[in-house]
Amino acid sequence: MEDRLIVRKIRNGTVIDHIPAGRSLDVLKILGISGREGATVALVMNVESKKLGRKDIVKIEDRFLKPEEVDKIALIAPTATINIVRDYQVVEKRRVSVPEEIVGILRCVNPLCVSNSPREPITPRIIVVSRQPLKLRCAYCDEEFGEEALSQLVSQ
Amino acid sequence: MLRGRDVLSILDFSREELEELFAETDRVRSNPAAYAGALSGFIMSTAFFEPSTRTRLSFQSAMLRLGGSYIDLGELERSSVAKGENFADTIRMLDSYADVIVVRHRLEGAARYAAEIAEAPVINAGDGRKHHPTQAMLDLYTVRSAKGRVDGLTYGVLGDLRFGRAAASFILALSKYRPRKVYLVSPPLLRARPEVLEVLEKAGVSYEEVSDLDSVLPELDVLYVTRVQKERFPDPAEYEKVKGSYAVTSKSLARAKEDLVVMHPLPRVDEIAFDVDRTRHAYYFEQAKLGVWVRMALLKLILKG
């Protein structure tokens, strides 16, 4: 509980806990949070964790996550838990999970894949072949790739 | 089993389905007259977004021999593609004109995308470096025809295993059978892609990657030779490094088994010398001929069962 004392509780919003140590900045990027939005954001990095050894925590006031944001976080921080806070109380606690198929979130890394063709009305579909280690396969061109594709999520 | 099916990757077909296709091919081949009107009234569309002679003509010949007809998208410069129409719209249009669509495209996954759009079955006639399933089907049939079986033989697949879709599809096709051993013979730069090797591993096929044909040649029952795919090299300098790095000649085949079968998806450039044509090993022209029978059987099974 000691880590909770580093920053104060939030009244309403989302606490993303159990982020692998060092990944919290990537989580903020995925959520499009630069700090200039005016919302109160607290970031705790490299605190002790029984489960993970070290972990990061992100607290965001007055912000609730969309399903596609949760899916993105699942890819970059598969151990994360998402706590919804209302009036200082955690009203919902969810674990993120890497879906079996990732639709419209990640692009295939193969530049010759039809799903990267800018003139086609096509939604990228990526099949999760294995979660640990992360192994992905494009549903269109069958190209297989791993975590290197995730850099797209934080560069968008 | 095959009626209404898309043909996108050889991996989508079970061994039983392939055997069904080959049995139908045997029937077509032994009595073509009985099949002369089998697809009367059916229209096939050929949409080749990449140059092709053999595959396109072989599909067209197959359809005509079955009494069906075909429409061809024609040269891209003279089609709606030149006016800026995208692939999805072109496929949508062909879907309303034809009962089956045969697609070749430079982009990988194009046939799978076409199959999502079209109601008619889509046959992948080659997409980028990845798949050429009907080539793999006719290659298996050729081995079966020449050797009486596919199982238990020792194969050498020589050439551009990295960019060549015919080679990759043939290797994937062998995973459906029980080869004694598969030697993947290529310069290090042209080694097979990891996902292809993984399929062999999962299927329990014994394989070995080697750089030199001579050391394994005496063991081979089938030697499958492919061209270096100049058009798929992202870097022309890399192509220069490997072009002409292997060539099969009648002299180099001196140490081969008497009944070694040499195959090639064609066209060849300089990887099989012309003097091999006159040896008992040359099977590549027969292979191209068998392609028409296999495609006849496939079209018939897809459109009529």
Side-chain angles (χ1 to χ4, degrees):
Chain A
M1 292 305 287
E2 205 172 288
D3 55 74
R4 305 261 164 120
L5 301 176
I6 294 174
V7 289
R8 70 168 175 82
K9 284 185 168 184
I10 56 171
R11 181 177 189 151
N12 290 304
T14 305
V15 176
I16 308 168
D17 200 353
H18 301 109
I19 300 168
R23 286 279 171 91
S24 53
L25 290 173
D26 291 338
V27 169
L28 288 187
K29 278 187 189 164
I30 284 172
L31 299 176
I33 293 172
S34 66
R36 291 187 289 274
E37 294 78 16
T40 302
V41 177
L43 192 75
V44 186
M45 295 175 94
N46 284 314
V47 292
E48 275 185 28
S49 159
K50 277 184 194 159
K51 266 204 294 190
L52 303 176
R54 293 267 162 192
K55 67 175 180 179
D56 290 0
I57 307 169
V58 169
K59 300 183 181 189
I60 317 160
E61 195 105 47
D62 295 322
R63 170 81 186 266
F64 301 95
L65 307 188
K66 298 176 199 141
E68 60 267 28
E69 290 174 327
V70 175
D71 283 350
K72 284 182 185 176
I73 290 170
L75 288 167
I76 205 109
T79 52
T81 47
I82 294 179
N83 304 316
I84 310 295
V85 179
R86 292 192 198 277
D87 205 17
Y88 296 109
Q89 298 298 314
V90 174
V91 294
E92 195 185 334
K93 197 166 194 160
R94 274 185 292 163
R95 293 202 64 164
V96 300
S97 65
V98 178
E100 288 184 2
E101 197 174 86
I102 303 162
V103 180
I105 289 177
L106 272 184
R107 277 183 296 107
C108 176
V109 298
N110 174 10
L112 287 174
C113 177
V114 70
S115 68
N116 284 322
S117 184
R119 298 202 58 251
E120 302 300 330
I122 185 168
T123 307
R125 284 198 295 123
I126 311 286
I127 295 156
V128 178
V129 180
S130 99
R131 289 175 168 82
Q132 201 74 31
L134 190 65
K135 193 167 159 190
L136 308 167
R137 186 173 69 233
C138 173
Y140 287 97
C141 76
D142 292 337
E143 187 85 0
E144 289 197 347
F145 43 94
E147 288 207 0
E148 68 271 19
L150 301 182
S151 58
Q152 287 175 42
L153 291 173
V154 290
S155 62
Q156 281 165 359
Chain B
M1 269 198 291
L2 296 177
R3 189 167 182 182
R5 280 279 290 274
D6 296 311
V7 181
L8 306 177
S9 158
I10 192 70
L11 291 177
D12 298 340
F13 292 84
S14 66
R15 178 173 176 149
E16 290 68 33
E17 287 167 335
L18 293 171
E19 294 297 331
E20 181 197 354
L21 171 70
F22 300 151
E24 183 77 359
T25 307
D26 287 340
R27 287 191 287 273
V28 172
R29 200 175 156 195
S30 63
N31 190 7
Y35 287 81
L39 291 187
S40 169
F42 285 91
I43 298 174
M44 172 186 77
S45 160
T46 40
F48 282 64
F49 293 79
E50 210 184 44
S52 163
T53 309
R54 212 163 324 272
T55 306
R56 184 167 52 89
L57 293 182
S58 139
F59 266 109
Q60 292 173 349
S61 170
M63 195 62 180
L64 293 175
R65 283 174 188 272
L66 291 163
S69 42
Y70 70 84
I71 51 174
D72 187 86
L73 187 65
E75 298 294 321
L76 295 183
E77 299 75 37
R78 290 162 60 191
S79 75
S80 52
V81 176
K83 296 176 188 167
E85 185 177 60
N86 69 357
F87 180 66
D89 288 1
T90 305
I91 293 298
R92 215 164 269 129
M93 175 196 78
L94 296 177
D95 192 31
S96 56
Y97 297 165
D99 303 296
V100 57
I101 303 170
V102 183
V103 178
R104 169 170 290 191
H105 209 290
R106 178 184 70 83
L107 292 178
E108 292 160 10
R112 201 172 292 277
Y113 178 42
E116 273 185 8
I117 296 165
E119 279 182 31
V122 168
I123 300 177
N124 184 2
D127 61 341
R129 303 160 301 164
K130 296 284 178 163
H131 296 292
H132 196 349
T134 63
Q135 179 71 46
M137 288 167 176
L138 78 88
D139 291 341
L140 287 177
Y141 184 79
T142 302
V143 173
R144 185 178 170 275
S145 192
K147 295 286 189 185
R149 63 198 166 112
V150 177
D151 292 325
L153 302 174
T154 300
Y155 294 82
V157 187
L158 169 70
D160 183 353
L161 312 185
R162 181 176 166 203
F163 296 113
R165 61 192 168 206
S169 293
F170 182 61
I171 297 167
L172 294 176
L174 289 176
S175 75
K176 303 281 174 183
Y177 286 80
R178 287 276 162 261
R180 202 177 79 76
K181 181 147 190 179
V182 180
Y183 286 105
L184 305 175
V185 192
S186 72
L189 262 179
L190 300 179
R191 290 267 150 90
R193 296 188 302 276
E195 71 262 25
V196 174
L197 300 181
E198 201 174 301
V199 170
L200 289 183
E201 274 157 28
K202 273 190 184 155
V205 173
S206 165
Y207 75 91
E208 191 178 329
E209 293 184 287
V210 294
S211 300
D212 176 38
L213 177 65
D214 288 347
S215 59
V216 299
L217 183 69
E219 283 182 58
L220 303 182
D221 299 300
V222 174
L223 173 61
Y224 190 98
V225 186
T226 64
R227 177 173 66 91
V228 177
Q229 308 278 309
K230 182 182 181 182
E231 64 275 27
R232 303 205 195 287
F233 271 74
D235 179 358
E238 280 206 353
Y239 170 73
E240 290 301 320
K241 277 188 216 162
V242 292
K243 72 170 186 185
S245 56
Y246 52 89
V248 176
T249 64
S250 61
K251 201 175 156 195
S252 69
L253 291 176
R255 292 175 58 240
K257 283 184 183 173
E258 280 278 305
D259 59 351
L260 168 75
V261 166
V262 176
M263 295 167 60
H264 190 302
L266 303 176
R268 68 173 151 177
V269 184
D270 49 14
E271 58 282 356
I272 297 183
F274 296 121
D275 65 4
V276 177
D277 299 0
R278 292 189 299 273
T279 70
R280 61 189 172 278
H281 304 298
Y283 219 79
Y284 27 92
F285 295 120
E286 182 69 12
Q287 182 185 356
K289 203 193 296 179
L290 293 175
V292 178
W293 300 119
V294 173
R295 288 181 173 123
M296 283 174 75
L298 183 67
L299 286 167
K300 194 267 180 181
L301 288 173
I302 286 176
L303 290 171
K304 279 184 88 176

